[in-house]
Amino acid sequence: MPSITRRRTPATGRRAEDDILAATRRLLTGGATFTELGIQQISDEAGVARSTFYSHFRDKTELLMRLAARMVEASFSIASAWEPAVGVDGLAADFLRVLGVWREHVGVLQAVTEVAAYEPTVREFWGQGLVQFVDRTIEVLRAEQDAGRSPADIDVVHASEIIVLGGERAMLHHVANSAPDTDAAFARELARTWWYGVYRRPATEN
Amino acid sequence: MPSITRRRTPATGRRAEDDILAATRRLLTGGATFTELGIQQISDEAGVARSTFYSHFRDKTELLMRLAARMVEASFSIASAWEPAVGVDGLAADFLRVLGVWREHVGVLQAVTEVAAYEPTVREFWGQGLVQFVDRTIEVLRAEQDAGRSPADIDVVHASEIIVLGGERAMLHHVANSAPDTDAAFARELARTWWYGVYRRPATEN
DNA sequence: GTCGTGCCGGACACCATGTCCGGACATCAT
DNA sequence: ATGATGTCCGGACATGGTGTCCGGCACGAC
């Protein structure tokens, strides 16, 4: 229960707040781990008094959530346009676009998954996003099965978990560890794996 | 640089240490997050004075590393026996066994991946393990290509990263969130995805 | 001018970490 | 029995980060 008395009227107001957000992004993309970041450090980088930090954010978690919210806005515009039966190449193209967006937000992205591992609020937040994708994938796979394009003996739920959880991890790792010019190849490889491994997996013959 | 003066002679010695290890495992499988665990809390659970903790472990990280070392011993015995051309069902059987081992260590396993996200030592440790698997998978895939069993246009490196990173995540998530009686189905699904999506992916026709 | 508001800077209480040490208590050899 | 060895307890202490609070300053609006 913080005393946020001075939150109204950003006449000239959003100055310090934006500085803090930007500074944090800077520190994160600069290679720092969100957990090892101190309030003092962030405030210094933002050119702001430590007390000012607390008049804008309850704690580091709230800061991260604010950062994450902005990132998700950008990401979901692509994800919602996710149509299934576009073929392998369409899938690869989608992955490539996602990789592009993620690259702009690697720092925050890593911070979120990092903190999600031990902080309930962030865990819930990120988990919800993944669940949404899993559900959507389940629907798509069911539809594909009904249309006779995917084999009937796919374990739709497990397959969707593999696709979403595994894909998220693989993509995050790639974006964080490989150069952008390898993105296209990676996206194609991932698309083919899911396509021939799940969507167009040959039916079991027996 | 701690002052570990009383480390010799476990005449009756390893008592407290084992208690601490066990207590930590207990707390972890009890749903606690390693990060949110305090030394006091661990010591209490172990029935040991806080100062005693420090005469056995430099800090929480060393405790985790000790926990992890034991777990890895058990896990790698399976992983090293990893032979490729056994077919989908062989692959599924291997995954199932790994899932079994992981279930005995979920707590520690989650703790390691959790801390690996922000602590350099643990990150290095866990990362090395994954790199080993990636390398091994690359070799296997190359051999499969040379034998003409896998298509030549697979991007071996990216495919291996997807298999290892993605697989680790999916399996970890499964073990942490689903009942053991779903393990067989999950293992089969994962095996089929990698098999038909990578190892026996149809060659590109053009 | 004076009021409102954002920011500064510093004081403060609090809590977890890591260090250190004296003393209690077992065990074992002599 | 007695003394030596070594573990463990319990508590003191320094340190550093977190979150709270408040007085004061600057600046823009009325």
Side-chain angles (χ1 to χ4, degrees), chain A residues 12-189:
Chain A
T12 169
R14 202 148 282 152
R15 204 123 34 143
E17 184 160 328
D18 283 342
D19 286 350
I20 293 172
L21 263 345
T24 309
R25 271 189 284 258
R26 219 175 307 136
L27 289 169
L28 287 177
T29 51
T33 283
F34 185 77
T35 305
E36 78 192 8
L37 247 42
I39 310 289
Q40 183 68 62
Q41 196 179 344
I42 296 173
S43 304
D44 286 353
E45 173 74 23
V48 147
R50 201 173 67 92
S51 60
T52 302
F53 177 95
Y54 286 105
S55 68
H56 289 275
F57 307 95
R58 201 197 298 106
D59 49 29
K60 251 171 51 180
T61 299
E62 188 174 313
L63 167 63
L64 181 56
M65 293 294 283
R66 200 98 108 249
L67 244 12
R70 293 206 186 179
M71 180 200 68
V72 168
E73 279 177 39
S75 301
F76 268 83
S77 56
I78 294 180
S80 57
W82 223 61
E83 273 311 313
V86 279
V88 218
D89 297 332
L91 204 56
D94 287 342
F95 286 151
L96 185 55
R97 266 187 303 170
V98 176
L99 286 177
V101 178
W102 281 22
R103 277 208 183 272
E104 301 169 17
H105 306 278
V106 218
V108 178
L109 210 54
Q110 280 188 286
V112 170
T113 56
E114 169 192 331
V115 178
Y118 61 84
E119 215 283 332
T121 316
V122 180
R123 177 199 290 283
E124 174 70 13
F125 167 76
W126 193 241
Q128 278 312 311
L130 293 179
V131 165
Q132 277 190 308
F133 273 90
V134 171
D135 289 346
R136 175 138 180 79
T137 307
I138 291 175
E139 280 178 40
V140 170
L141 273 178
R142 291 234 168 90
E144 290 287 286
Q145 284 184 321
D146 291 347
R149 289 190 291 267
S150 296
D153 67 339
I154 287 180
D155 185 330
V156 185
V157 175
H158 285 146
S160 299
E161 287 172 357
I162 292 170
I163 288 176
V164 174
L165 276 298
E168 179 236 23
R169 209 45 172 203
M171 286 176 61
L172 190 54
H173 175 266
H174 177 81
V175 153
N177 295 288
S178 302
D181 60 294
T182 61
D183 284 359
F186 178 87
R188 231 180 20 162
E189 196 57 30

Side-chain angles (χ1 to χ4, degrees), chain B residues 6 8-9 13 16 47 49 51-52 56:
Chain B
R6 312 114 177 232
R8 312 284 118 222
T9 324
S51 60
T52 302
H56 289 274

Side-chain angles (χ1 to χ4, degrees), chain B residues 161-185:
Chain B
E161 288 173 357
I162 292 171
I163 288 177
V164 174
L165 276 297
E168 180 235 22
R169 209 47 175 203
M171 287 177 61
L172 190 54
H173 174 266
H174 177 82
V175 153
N177 295 290
S178 303
D181 60 294
T182 62
D183 284 359

Side-chain angles (χ1 to χ4, degrees), chain B residues 2-7 12-21 39-40 42-44 46-59 62-63 66:
Chain B
S3 69
I4 304 176
T5 343
R6 312 114 177 232
R7 259 295 189 65
T12 169
R14 202 146 284 152
R15 204 125 29 148
E17 184 160 327
D18 283 342
D19 286 350
I20 293 172
L21 263 344
I39 309 288
Q40 183 68 62
I42 296 174
S43 304
D44 287 352
V48 146
R50 201 173 67 92
S51 60
T52 302
F53 176 96
Y54 285 105
S55 67
H56 289 274
F57 307 95
R58 199 197 299 109
D59 50 29
E62 187 174 314
L63 167 63
R66 200 101 107 247

